[in-house]
Amino acid sequence: MAGFGALSSIVVSVPAHAQWAVYDGAAHVQTVLIAARELQQVNQEAQSLLNEATMLENQARNLANLPLSVLAPLEQSIEATEQIVGQAQGLSYNLTSIDQAFSQTYPQALASPSSAAQMTADAQTRWQNARGAYQDGLRVQTGAVQNLDATRSQIDSLVTSSQAATGALQAAQSGNQLTALQTRQLADLTAVITAMGRAQALEGARQVESEEQGRAQLANFLNYGAGYTPGTAQMFH
């Protein structure tokens, strides 16, 4: 019995340090759910930032300028056409000068021409005006034809740039420049029609004035005075 008592005292004297860990399943699930929600929120914020970056990139593309511009050569060709038109021979495109010329060189009636020399000089002036107008018309036509090669090259470049456009602004600028090319062609066509119309108008005026000059010359020729008056002639003394 003494041995048993000693063993009991030894067992009782050992301190109780070992403890069993208690697993809380509900708390663990809650922790996992919180972590999942936080991860989902981070993913949403990352996607939002990615969308904003894509939007900014698209805006940058839409605002990018077209690297090609044909406006400068367009302006130069229009100025060249204007110079050709401005170099019109004889009558210029000016209302005052046209009115003065038609009152002097193309009068409505030639009642009493001053002299045959003056009538010849006026007719020569009218012929020179008509001839110069036809030459001017051909020069304008030549300028318009010469612009065709440049126009074709510019259209090819603009179409290529439009197809390779990275944004809305580049596509719009390309379309605007194509419209400007069409406007230049219309301007050339207008100049040609105007020049040829001027030539036809001056030729028509020359013909009308030639008819009036012929009438005036005939009237002057027929106005020979009172005619022949018979009288007494003495041949021998």
Side-chain angles (χ1 to χ4, degrees):
M1 293 297 292
F4 178 76
L7 179 60
S8 299
S9 63
I10 293 175
V11 173
V12 173
S13 63
V14 176
H17 293 292
Q19 296 181 358
W20 291 99
V22 179
Y23 173 74
D24 190 347
H28 179 71
V29 172
Q30 186 67 23
T31 302
V32 172
L33 292 176
I34 293 174
R37 284 195 296 266
E38 291 179 352
L39 179 60
Q40 183 181 8
Q41 184 177 2
V42 170
N43 289 334
Q44 291 177 351
E45 292 178 354
Q47 185 63 40
S48 178
L49 292 175
L50 180 61
N51 293 338
E52 290 182 3
T54 303
M55 181 182 64
L56 292 175
E57 183 179 359
N58 291 333
Q59 289 179 353
R61 290 178 179 176
N62 289 331
L63 295 178
N65 288 321
L66 190 71
L68 175 66
S69 176
V70 298
L71 295 182
L74 274 179
E75 292 177 354
Q76 293 176 358
S77 63
I78 291 177
E79 290 177 358
T81 303
E82 289 180 347
Q83 289 179 358
I84 295 175
V85 173
Q87 295 170 356
Q89 306 175 59
L91 290 180
S92 62
Y93 293 96
N94 183 278
L95 294 178
T96 302
S97 63
I98 290 176
D99 292 340
Q100 291 177 351
F102 268 76
S103 63
Q104 298 174 3
T105 310
Y106 303 86
Q108 185 174 0
L110 295 174
S112 55
S114 57
S115 64
Q118 183 62 42
M119 294 178 66
T120 301
D122 291 341
Q124 181 70 14
T125 299
R126 291 190 291 269
W127 177 83
Q128 289 176 348
N129 288 341
R131 180 184 181 279
Y134 277 112
Q135 183 180 4
D136 294 337
L138 290 175
R139 293 178 71 242
V140 174
Q141 291 182 47
T142 302
V145 171
Q146 289 176 348
N147 287 335
L148 291 178
D149 291 336
T151 301
R152 180 181 60 185
S153 176
Q154 291 164 357
I155 288 177
D156 291 341
S157 299
L158 283 174
V159 170
T160 302
S161 298
S162 176
Q163 292 176 345
T166 59
L169 181 59
Q170 289 187 355
Q173 288 177 338
S174 179
N176 290 339
Q177 293 189 58
L178 284 172
T179 302
L181 278 174
Q182 294 177 350
T183 303
R184 200 279 307 277
Q185 289 180 314
L186 290 176
D188 285 347
L189 180 61
T190 301
V192 170
I193 294 175
T194 301
M196 295 309 301
R198 172 177 177 268
Q200 293 174 359
L202 287 177
E203 173 60 18
R206 185 191 69 81
Q207 294 178 0
V208 170
E209 198 62 28
S210 295
E211 294 176 359
E212 172 59 20
Q213 184 173 346
R215 183 201 64 77
Q217 286 177 327
L218 178 62
N220 187 45
F221 174 77
L222 295 177
N223 186 19
Y224 47 81
Y228 173 72
T229 302
T232 303
Q234 185 177 1
M235 298 181 62
F236 302 101
H237 293 286

